[in-house]
C-alpha cells in the first residue's frame, strides 16, 4: 500500500510540474535572444525531416557530454521539486508541440516556442543530442531524474488489447541508464507512444505515459 501511495503521489507531482511548465511557456512565440544573452548555450544538433516526411535521427554533436548537475538541481527546484523532503525520483516539463514538417534546429525551436522556460532552466539546452528521444516532432517533454543514483528507462510502446482492455507493450528501448541524466522525449500528439520509468535508489518507482 505504501508503494502504491508513493507511485500515485509521484505521478501527481509529474502532472503538477507539467502544469507549471505550461504556464511558464504560455503558448506564445517569442524571438530568440541575441548571441550571448542569458548564458544559454546551444549543444543540441539539427533534427531535420527527409523526403518521406520522417525526421532524420539526431546526430550526436557531443557523445561524451554530461549535463552540469548544478543546472539540474536548479531546474528541479524551479519546477517545484522538493529535493530534501519530496522523495520522488524525478520531474518533467512540457515544452510544446513541434510540427512534423518543422526543419529548424531543435535549439532554435525551443528558444522560439518556450523562451521563458528555457531562460529560467537553461539545462534543457545543454542536453546532448543522443539524449533527444523520438522522431523529432510531436509533444516535447524534458524528463529530469533526481540524483546520480536514479535510473531511467524510456521505451517506445504500442497499445494492445489484453483481456480487460488496452495495455502498453514496449517494442523498443530508446534510453536506459542506471545513473540517468535529463532527456528530451518526443511523444505522438494523437496517441501516447512512450513509457517513462524512473526508479530511485530507495526503490520508489514511477511509471509514466506522457
Amino acid at each position: 500500500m505504501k508503494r502504491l501511495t508513493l507511485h500515485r503521489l509521484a505521478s501527481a507531482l509529474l502532472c503538477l510540474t507539467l502544469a507549471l511548465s505550461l504556464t511558464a511557456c504560455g503558448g506564445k512565440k517569442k524571438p530568440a535572444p541575441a548571441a550571448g544573452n542569458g548564458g544559454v548555450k546551444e549543444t543540441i544538433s539539427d533534427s531535420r525531416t527527409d523526403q518521406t516526411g520522417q525526421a532524420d535521427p539526431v546526430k550526436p554533436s557531443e557523445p561524451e557530454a554530461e549535463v552540469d548537475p548544478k543546472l539540474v538541481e536548479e531546474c528541479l527546484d524551479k519546477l517545484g521539486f522538493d529535493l530534501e523532503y519530496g522523495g520522488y525520483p524525478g520531474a518533467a516539463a512540457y515544452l510544446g508541440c513541434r510540427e512534423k514538417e518543422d526543419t529548424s534546429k531543435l535549439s532554435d525551436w525551443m528558444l522560439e516556442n518556450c523562451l521563458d522556460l528555457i531562460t529560467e532552466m537553461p539545462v534543457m539546452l545543454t542536453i546532448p543530442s543522443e539524449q533527444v528521444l523520438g522522431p523529432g516532432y510531436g509533444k516535447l517533454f524534458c524528463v529530469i531524474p533526481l540524483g546520480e543514483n536514479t535510473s531511467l528507462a524510456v521505451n517506445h510502446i504500442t497499445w494492445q488489447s489484453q483481456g480487460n482492455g488496452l495495455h502498453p507493450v514496449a517494442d523498443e528501448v530508446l534510453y536506459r541508464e542506471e545513473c540517468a541524466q535529463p532527456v528530451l522525449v518526443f511523444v505522438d500528439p494523437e496517441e501516447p507512444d512512450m513509457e517513462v520509468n524512473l526508479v530511485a535508489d530507495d526503490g520508489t518507482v514511477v511509471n509514466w505515459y506522457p
Side-chain angles (χ1 to χ4, degrees):
M1 181 61 71
K2 182 178 180 181
R3 175 61 55 81
L4 180 60
T5 301
L6 284 172
H7 179 101
R8 290 175 175 171
L9 285 172
S11 298
L13 176 66
L14 286 167
C15 293
L16 173 61
T17 57
L18 294 179
L20 288 171
S21 60
L22 277 169
T23 302
C25 285
K28 297 180 180 179
K29 293 186 177 181
K30 296 186 178 182
N37 184 23
V40 175
K41 70 176 183 178
E42 198 172 305
T43 62
I44 298 176
S45 64
D46 270 317
S47 176
R48 300 181 180 275
T49 55
D50 59 22
Q51 294 181 354
T52 66
Q54 299 296 318
D56 292 335
V58 179
K59 298 178 181 179
S61 56
E62 298 184 17
E64 303 300 325
E66 291 188 1
V67 177
D68 186 340
K70 291 183 179 179
L71 289 178
V72 174
E73 185 173 332
E74 290 175 3
C75 186
L76 288 169
D77 184 58
K78 289 176 180 178
L79 282 171
F81 191 94
D82 192 325
L83 294 174
E84 185 174 0
Y85 302 108
Y88 303 112
Y94 175 58
L95 280 69
C97 189
R98 178 178 165 102
E99 297 297 328
K100 185 175 182 180
E101 62 273 12
D102 194 328
T103 60
S104 62
K105 292 179 66 175
L106 180 55
S107 54
D108 291 343
W109 180 90
M110 292 166 67
L111 288 168
E112 181 180 1
N113 287 272
C114 50
L115 177 60
D116 291 344
L117 184 64
I118 294 300
T119 301
E120 283 293 311
M121 293 174 279
V123 67
M124 296 179 188
L125 277 185
T126 71
I127 296 174
S129 53
E130 65 268 21
Q131 290 162 217
V132 180
L133 312 175
Y137 58 85
K139 293 182 178 180
L140 180 59
F141 297 88
C142 181
V143 180
I144 307 171
L146 172 64
E148 61 181 12
N149 294 322
T150 298
S151 67
L152 170 64
V154 179
N155 304 318
H156 181 269
I157 62 169
T158 58
W159 295 89
Q160 298 183 13
S161 179
Q162 296 179 359
N164 59 346
L166 293 175
H167 295 270
V169 177
D171 59 6
E172 182 181 2
V173 177
L174 302 179
Y175 180 87
R176 180 174 292 166
E177 291 291 341
E178 292 299 318
C179 301
Q181 293 190 1
V183 297
L184 292 169
V185 183
F186 282 99
V187 179
D188 190 318
E190 302 297 329
E191 180 176 306
D193 62 346
M194 294 291 177
E195 176 184 61
V196 176
N197 301 316
L198 284 157
V199 183
D201 56 357
D202 65 356
T204 303
V205 178
V206 169
N207 300 317
W208 182 47
Y209 303 91

